[in-house]
Amino acid sequence: MRVLLVGAGGVGTAITRIAARRPFFEHMTVADYDLGRAESAVAALREKGDRFGAARLDASDRAAVRQALGEHRCDVLLNATDPRFVLPLFESALAHGAHYLDMAMSLSRPHPTRPYEECGVKLGDEQFERAAEWEAAGRLALVGMGVEPGLSDVFARYASDELFDEIEEIGIRDGANLTVDGYDFAPSFSIWTTIEECLNPPVVYEQERGWYTTAPFSEPEVFDFPEGIGPVECVNVEHEEVLLVPRWLKARKVTFKYGLGDEFIGVLRTLHMLGLDRTEPVSVKSGSGQAAVSPRDVVAACLPDPAGLGERMHGKTCAGTWVKGVKDGRPREVYLYHVVDNQWSMREYGSQAVVWQTAINPVAALELLAGGAWGGSGVLGPEALPPRPFLDLLTEYGAPWGMREQ
């Protein structure tokens, strides 16, 4: 297997550090718009970097992406960029005849008149519209294969296959007790993506109603997270699992709730109120005249790079899937989860917990595809594939998962 990894930020760099320890691939080309960043990711691998190379690549340039796939003889493209670049990379992989993986799906667009009641364009809609083309080409686009979405979807499939006869609700619940020394506000993941997720209308699925939307930060609940994290208030947030799970699994309801905290929600609401969450460029004065800049890009530039926060970060992060239903005629409730301690991930891999937890899953998926335990064609989510090989491999990677009866 020869891999074109596009994006050498926090998650992309963590991918290289995890993949360098596994023998399943022949070569991985690490490509980024900033060549220096790609070269640094490879150089950090030292003696384990002999199967890696660095290249400069503009992820929005379809012709350049196809050229890179051909030049480096890559049979799979792994997308570690932010969601703005999903479609050009997804379409370029199809045009070249390569397989494709991503960790976030094509962007949504709210309903033009009823954004908090009805769906407009949903996350991933533009990718699923191309499913027949991928299937006809005999190529696989494995979408949403990070931690959330990704591992959370694998948990949902495992629960459906082995733990329940009927499912009332599948609810993804994400929480942490992470703190960052020296910063009043320092998101542990891309602020560009965080704004997109948290300020868009959240989507909920109900079997009788289908997909519908609510207001941002709606329906707060306190969820008790394992391994010392404890109770965290979680709210509705737009996320891919709600769009993926019902395509393959039967459940009366599917939700996603994220533990943000009052302060974080307050900052996001302020950014929205001031228009600083917008992506459309605005004209500003600069030393060389008028310049067009995206307010959201300015916010991102003013905040610390999440990939560089690891030394200042303390605590744990938890991703998991809560499932309620019936097994053998009796009510059952479980929480399937994966916890990463930042001190451990920094010590073992030099990557902070949130980006490392995201990165391990596409690497494991690539290994399963390379070995034939996973496969297929078309546009598939993680819940379309057998869960047990993935969960076993995750444990082999030294990242065991847990299950708590509720």
Side-chain angles (χ1 to χ4, degrees), residues 160 166-168 170 205 207 245-246 248-253:
S160 179
E166 298 177 27
I167 294 177
E168 179 180 333
I170 295 174
Y205 173 84
Q207 194 172 51
V245 169
W248 284 278
L249 306 180
K250 188 174 181 180
R252 294 190 188 96
K253 188 173 184 178

Side-chain angles (χ1 to χ4, degrees), residues 48-350:
K48 292 183 178 179
D50 58 331
R51 291 179 294 152
F52 293 79
R56 185 189 180 280
L57 182 63
D58 180 350
S60 67
D61 186 338
R62 289 166 170 80
V65 175
R66 294 196 301 273
Q67 181 179 341
L69 284 164
E71 178 183 341
H72 300 287
R73 297 181 289 116
C74 297
D75 47 86
V76 60
L77 189 159
L78 173 53
N79 177 4
T81 63
D82 74 52
R84 288 175 290 181
F85 303 106
V86 163
L87 283 178
L89 293 174
F90 172 84
E91 291 169 353
S92 298
L94 176 61
H96 180 75
H99 301 295
Y100 169 88
L101 280 81
D102 63 30
M103 290 160 274
M105 297 175 66
S106 59
L107 293 170
S108 64
R109 292 190 293 277
H111 191 279
T113 58
R114 292 169 54 84
Y116 302 134
E117 293 86 23
E118 297 182 32
C119 296
V121 175
K122 302 186 299 300
L123 290 169
D125 274 357
E126 292 173 296
Q127 290 175 283
F128 282 112
E129 287 173 0
R130 308 288 299 274
E133 295 174 62
W134 280 87
E135 192 165 358
R139 293 294 179 266
L140 172 64
L142 180 53
V143 296
M145 193 59 250
V147 61
E148 289 175 344
L151 177 56
S152 51
D153 303 76
V154 174
F155 283 150
R157 172 66 184 269
Y158 174 72
S160 179
D161 283 1
E162 302 194 26
L163 304 180
F164 290 86
D165 298 322
E166 298 177 27
I167 294 177
E168 179 180 333
E169 182 171 351
I170 295 174
I172 316 306
R173 299 292 184 267
D174 180 300
N177 60 2
L178 294 167
T179 60
V180 181
D181 294 338
Y183 290 99
D184 293 328
F185 183 75
S188 58
F189 204 70
S190 162
I191 188 61
W192 201 101
T193 304
T194 301
I195 289 172
E196 185 73 21
E197 291 177 349
C198 295
L199 292 178
N200 276 351
V203 180
V204 176
Y205 173 84
E206 292 183 6
Q207 194 172 51
E208 302 301 321
R209 185 175 174 183
W211 286 294
Y212 64 93
T213 57
T214 70
F217 316 121
S218 57
E219 300 179 359
E221 68 174 55
V222 175
F223 192 86
D224 188 16
F225 289 91
E227 298 195 20
I229 295 174
V232 178
E233 185 175 80
C234 300
V235 294
N236 280 328
V237 169
E238 180 191 50
H239 230 252
E240 286 90 343
E241 292 93 329
V242 179
L243 290 313
L244 285 170
V245 169
R247 293 178 184 269
W248 284 278
L249 306 180
K250 188 174 181 180
R252 294 190 188 96
K253 188 173 184 178
V254 183
T255 58
F256 181 98
K257 293 190 179 183
Y258 194 11
L260 294 172
D262 290 341
E263 181 183 14
F264 202 106
I265 290 173
V267 170
L268 292 174
R269 282 179 166 155
T270 300
L271 291 174
H272 179 64
M273 179 178 65
L274 297 175
L276 295 175
D277 59 326
R278 290 183 293 165
T279 58
E280 302 82 6
V282 297
S283 182
V284 298
K285 292 181 180 179
S286 72
S288 56
Q290 294 293 115
V293 297
S294 158
R296 194 184 299 186
D297 286 343
V298 173
V299 172
C302 291
L303 290 172
D305 181 355
L309 294 176
E311 297 291 348
R312 295 171 174 262
M313 191 180 291
H314 307 277
K316 299 177 181 180
T317 184
C318 178
T321 303
W322 163 74
V323 187
K324 180 180 180 181
V326 175
K327 178 66 173 177
D328 298 327
R330 302 180 64 181
R332 190 179 195 188
E333 231 178 299
V334 303
Y335 182 58
L336 300 152
Y337 64 89
H338 186 251
V339 172
V340 179
D341 185 305
N342 186 73
Q343 301 305 108
W344 177 86
S345 65
M346 287 298 298
R347 182 175 65 250
E348 293 294 319
Y349 286 88

